[in-house]
């Protein structure tokens, strides 16, 4: 297998200056397994037993189970996210379940990267370039929303936590990693941030 | 900034959307049979009304779906939003 290179590898995050102990913590997790799934009701019925949980049907919703999250991307469009390494196996299982149906299963693991944000200032930091309503009353744990940060399209997944200590995974195209990372650093400068690498 | 209500995602900021011009333009079934004038009309001629306008929008940085919105071009106020395939009920454009 070819060597995998993270979207921010050229930024040398390990040696990049940051503030130890700052409220906001950032890291890149480049190689999470991401599989795109498209299809109608027949595909949903075929796939749910394989996944072991229900696919989300409305904007903002996620489905979760056994270490996986399914994001609602569009009315017939999902991205399923796993820990690194299982993408080929998952994609194969989904393809087999959908055989004969009108569907698409695509391994997106190399296309997208994940930037993990943790800590209370992250709403203000994201609001520097994202027009979504990020107030705790609107953006709650377990939700996933698509929008943009500056000029880069992003998917925001509020993984867990509470209003004081939220955890958000930001998914963006791998080629935007440099832009998004520097955008976040710029926005986070006033709060201070710690890079965990 | 305008708030535009995507039929799938709800109200979102204008910057997430892309405008696609006038809605309801039907591609001629047999373009080769058309006169140059009729083809020019299909490709270029738009209504550009002062008032209600049916236009296409794409939620480009969201769900990626196209839909139809009725907008007043004088006030920029949106009057209704319709998913692809649904006709806005009033003909006033």
């Amino acid at each position: 297998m070819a060597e995998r290179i993270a979207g921010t590898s050229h930024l040398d995050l390990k040696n990049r200056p940051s503030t130890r102990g700052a409220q906001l913590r950032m890291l890149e997790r480049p190689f999470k397994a991401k599989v795109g799934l498209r299809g109608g009701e027949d595909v949903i019925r075929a796939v749910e037993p394989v996944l072991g949980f229900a696919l989300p049907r409305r904007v903002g919703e996620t489905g979760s189970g056994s270490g996986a999250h399914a994001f609602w991307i569009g009315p017939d469009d999902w991205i399923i996210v796993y820990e690194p390494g299982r993408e080929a196996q998952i994609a194969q299982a989904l393809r087999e379940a959908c055989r004969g149906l009108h569907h698409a299963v695509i391994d997106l693991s190399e296309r997208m990267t994940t930037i993990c944000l943790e800590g209370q200032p992250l709403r203000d930091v994201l609001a520097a370039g994202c027009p979504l309503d990020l107030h705790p009353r609107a953006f709650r744990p377990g939700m996933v929303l698509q929008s943009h940060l500056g000029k880069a399209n992003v998917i925001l997944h509020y993984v867990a936590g509470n209003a004081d200590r939220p955890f958000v995974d930001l998914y963006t195209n791998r080629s935007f990693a440099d832009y998004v990372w520097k955008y976040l650093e710029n926005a986070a400068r006033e709060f201070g941030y710690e890079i965990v690498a | 900034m305008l708030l535009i209500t995507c039929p799938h995602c709800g109200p979102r900021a204008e910057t997430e959307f892309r405008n696609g011009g006038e809605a309801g333009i039907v591609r001629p079934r047999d373009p080769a049979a058309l006169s140059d004038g009729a083809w020019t009309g299909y490709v270029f001629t738009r209504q550009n009304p002062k008032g209600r306008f049916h236009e296409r929008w794409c939620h480009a940085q969201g769900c990626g779906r196209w839909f139809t919105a009725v907008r007043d071009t004088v006030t920029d106020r949106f009057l209704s939003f319709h998913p692809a395939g649904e006709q806005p009920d009033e003909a006033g454009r």
Side-chain angles (χ1 to χ4, degrees), chain A residues 38 73 75-76 131 146-148, chain B residues 12-13 15-16 61-63 65:
Chain A
R38 293 200 63 175
I73 298 297
D76 57 358
Q146 301 168 87
S147 187
H148 61 87
Chain B
R12 295 290 186 91
T15 50
E16 292 183 9
Q61 292 190 304
C63 64
R65 297 305 187 277

Side-chain angles (χ1 to χ4, degrees), chain A residues 134-146:
Chain A
L134 297 169
H135 191 278
R137 141 191 92 217
F139 188 45
R140 297 182 302 276
M143 281 180 74
V144 66
L145 292 171
Q146 301 168 87

